[in-house]
Amino acid sequence: MAPKTKVSNEEILAAGLAIVRREGVEALNARTLARELKCSTQPIFSRYRSMKELQYQVLKEAYGFYETFIEREMASSELPYKASGMAYIRFARQERNLFRWLFMRDRTGEQIGPPDAEPQLLLLQKNLGLTRQEAEKRHLEMWVVVHGIASMAATAYLELDEKTISGILSDVFLGLQRLTDQ
């Protein structure tokens, strides 16, 4: 009898994430995962009771991947709030399958949700002197615009260059600022 292939939980999750990034969540099943890991399905099902449980864990990995992407962009920018929006759109463009899975699906009844906007809210409060409620309203207004552009990028509906996107985000942000100041 051949020895059983040893596959770590981290390897399973990394392979699952790679499959989703490359082919979309629809391709994440035991067979494609086993093929990616070069093993049978036995090591997968020895760690997970069902594909639903595995998909949930891969989803958590995907959110972590996304959060790291955004944090890195924010940390390297002189305008971290704007960088978060630009990075969200860049993520949609570069990681279309992940973006669609994370941000363009029905979440009814889910226990895991989109990443927390706390860093962006704190930036708005600190830099603009907004109350928590004002920061939440401003962020929602900006996020609707950013998500719209990102959704168009993720579906190849409309391709805009970085300079145009940057200008749109600045225009919307400054327009909202003027409304607040009145």
Side-chain angles (χ1 to χ4, degrees):
M1 178 182 271
K4 291 184 180 178
T5 303
K6 299 229 190 268
V7 179
S8 72
N9 194 48
E10 291 77 20
E11 290 171 315
I12 292 170
L13 294 177
L17 185 61
I19 290 167
V20 175
R21 289 179 70 194
R22 191 174 57 243
E23 302 173 49
V25 69
E26 303 80 17
L28 182 58
N29 59 57
R31 284 188 187 143
T32 57
L33 193 52
R35 189 170 33 246
E36 184 85 10
L37 292 165
K38 296 176 179 46
C39 68
S40 72
T41 59
Q42 189 279 330
I44 299 163
F45 288 117
S46 70
R47 295 193 181 271
Y48 296 96
R49 292 176 296 226
S50 68
M51 280 307 298
K52 185 174 182 174
E53 179 185 352
L54 175 63
Q55 283 181 341
Y56 178 79
Q57 293 303 319
V58 174
L59 180 63
K60 286 172 56 176
E61 288 291 310
Y63 275 124
F65 180 83
Y66 161 77
E67 288 174 349
T68 300
F69 187 94
I70 298 297
E71 288 167 2
R72 187 176 52 243
E73 296 285 323
M74 289 177 70
S76 66
S77 176
E78 292 179 26
L79 299 170
Y81 184 77
K82 184 174 184 178
S84 72
M86 294 294 291
Y88 185 81
I89 295 165
R90 195 171 303 112
F91 184 84
R93 189 181 280 149
Q94 293 173 8
E95 297 288 345
R96 290 179 175 182
N97 290 320
L98 272 185
F99 181 85
R100 286 193 290 257
W101 191 32
L102 294 176
F103 301 109
M104 296 180 72
R105 73 174 192 294
D106 184 348
R107 286 188 180 78
T108 305
E110 280 191 10
Q111 296 193 345
I112 188 171
D116 191 4
E118 191 64 24
Q120 290 86 351
L121 295 173
L122 291 173
L123 281 169
L124 288 172
Q125 287 177 276
K126 178 183 171 196
N127 294 338
L128 300 178
L130 300 176
T131 66
R132 178 64 178 211
Q133 187 176 10
E134 291 167 335
E136 287 172 352
K137 182 178 185 290
R138 176 72 54 82
H139 184 65
L140 175 62
E141 292 165 337
M142 285 301 304
W143 186 80
V144 167
V145 172
V146 168
H147 182 70
I149 295 169
S151 296
M152 288 186 279
T155 58
Y157 181 80
L158 179 65
E159 290 292 329
L160 300 171
D161 60 63
E162 295 268 325
K163 183 177 179 184
T164 301
I165 293 168
S166 179
I168 290 169
L169 297 188
S170 291
D171 290 348
V172 171
F173 188 85
L174 293 171
L176 291 170
Q177 182 67 35
R178 285 189 203 107
L179 289 173
T180 303
D181 292 344
Q182 292 179 357

